[in-house]
Amino acid sequence: MFKWINIFRGFLMGICEIIPGVSSGTMALLLGIYDQFLGAIGHIVSKHYKKSIIFLLPLVIGMGIAILTMSSVMDYLLTEHTIPTHWFFIGMVLGVVPMMFKISNYKAEFKTIHYILMGLILLLLYWLSTMNESGTAAESIDVSLPLLAGLFLSGMLASSVMLLPGISGSLVLLIIGAYPIIMRAINEFTSLNFGVLPILIATGLGIVSGLLLASRGIQFLLRNYTYLMYAMIIGLLFGSVFSIYPGLPETTGTFIASIVSLLAGLSISIYMGSKNKQSI
């Protein structure tokens, strides 16, 4: 049965897709549909494809609506109120952590290896955040087979990462240098330059392939290495703050606005997490 509430859920996930450094997987986790989301993607090419389509279609519609309607709003907030907006995002991400600790039953289940894994994930994401300097615009695009192969693999990697709470696919594309090319290709395509179509097709096929492969892989890991995965997700949530962190406010007004934004993000996220009674 088509669930209209999933359009709203998809809308919230779509907003995350246009927020730098925030994963839509984080929102799916917060909404209590993370496992269903992974399962539906994984079964899209199985005999259960009808159920998967019925579940995913309203999410996709909601995400599309969010991207089309909220991009300008987010662009305004990120341009005119950069620091408070980023602190709101930080609050949203960190607000998921209490729910994850509760789900994982960390006091009973976490051992030294789990905390070591969390620390390694933190170090990795800190390192990735220091690499986030390759966002210069692509001046021109020369379509070639090596470029298309590289973009296919980039799309696979980005979409695989996107499914994990705490790290965004766009950040990965930026780090590996594919983001400027893809953004340039999208801009050229909207200007009716169809010569960049092979680039968009290669990237799109990579994204679809990554989603199909990663969803099965993540589900397998969650079933067989549950608490290690919980520890990794907590590490990803903490570590994603490195890519969102905008610096400290420089004026009193911005400082107050940032504190209010942080507390608002935390409050919303913690409240939504408290309503989620499901495990992953």
Side-chain angles (χ1 to χ4, degrees):
M1 181 179 178
F2 190 93
K3 291 186 177 180
W4 294 98
I5 187 63
N6 280 350
I7 293 181
F8 178 67
R9 290 167 172 164
F11 184 83
L12 295 177
M13 292 171 66
I15 291 175
C16 288
E17 286 305 311
I18 55 178
I19 295 173
V22 181
S23 165
S24 57
T26 303
M27 183 56 70
L29 184 66
L30 197 56
L31 293 169
I33 60 170
Y34 185 71
D35 190 48
Q36 290 175 278
F37 182 55
L38 287 181
I41 294 173
H43 290 112
I44 197 73
V45 291
S46 72
K47 63 180 180 180
H48 304 293
Y49 72 94
K50 289 184 179 179
K51 290 183 179 179
S52 295
I53 291 173
I54 289 172
F55 179 79
L56 290 173
L57 183 58
L59 289 178
V60 171
I61 291 172
M63 291 176 75
I65 293 171
I67 292 170
L68 290 173
T69 61
M70 297 300 292
S71 294
S72 58
V73 176
M74 284 298 158
D75 182 62
Y76 168 77
L77 290 173
L78 290 168
T79 302
E80 302 297 329
H81 307 283
T82 306
I83 293 179
T85 302
H86 276 259
W87 278 105
F88 176 80
F89 299 154
I90 290 173
M92 285 289 291
V93 171
L94 292 181
V96 185
V97 174
M99 183 188 76
M100 277 308 306
F101 273 119
K102 181 180 178 181
I103 289 174
S104 64
N105 192 22
Y106 73 101
K107 290 183 179 179
E109 300 293 344
F110 277 17
K111 307 296 187 294
T112 303
I113 185 63
H114 297 90
Y115 294 105
I116 290 175
L117 178 60
M118 288 169 59
L120 291 174
I121 293 293
L122 277 169
L123 290 174
L124 174 63
L125 290 191
Y126 173 75
W127 176 75
L128 289 177
S129 72
T130 65
M131 300 287 288
N132 189 10
E133 299 293 339
S134 55
T136 55
E139 295 299 326
S140 61
I141 303 175
D142 296 319
V143 178
S144 64
L145 187 58
L147 175 65
L148 296 179
L151 289 173
F152 176 82
L153 294 175
S154 298
M156 283 188 67
L157 179 60
S159 62
S160 301
V161 165
M162 182 185 72
L163 292 176
L164 288 170
I167 181 170
S168 69
S170 58
L171 176 62
V172 172
L173 289 175
L174 191 62
I175 291 167
I176 62 181
Y179 186 82
I181 297 172
I182 295 170
M183 289 300 102
R184 176 64 180 264
I186 292 173
N187 288 333
E188 290 291 323
F189 184 73
T190 56
S191 300
L192 302 181
N193 177 6
F194 299 112
V196 298
L197 196 56
I199 288 175
L200 299 179
I201 292 174
T203 306
L205 289 175
I207 289 172
V208 172
S209 301
L211 288 173
L212 293 175
L213 293 173
S215 60
R216 293 288 183 92
I218 294 171
Q219 280 193 308
F220 172 82
L221 292 172
L222 282 168
R223 283 195 303 267
N224 295 278
Y225 303 96
T226 305
Y227 295 102
L228 283 173
M229 285 296 290
Y230 286 170
M232 186 181 79
I233 289 172
I234 292 171
L236 285 169
L237 290 169
F238 276 123
S240 66
V241 172
F242 291 126
S243 63
I244 311 173
Y245 178 66
L248 294 174
E250 296 181 354
T251 65
T252 303
T254 306
F255 180 82
I256 294 172
S258 298
I259 293 294
V260 171
S261 297
L262 174 66
L263 294 176
L266 276 171
S267 300
I268 293 171
S269 198
I270 290 173
Y271 174 76
M272 292 175 66
S274 69
K275 298 298 181 182
N276 176 20
K277 305 300 181 184
Q278 304 177 29
S279 60
I280 296 177

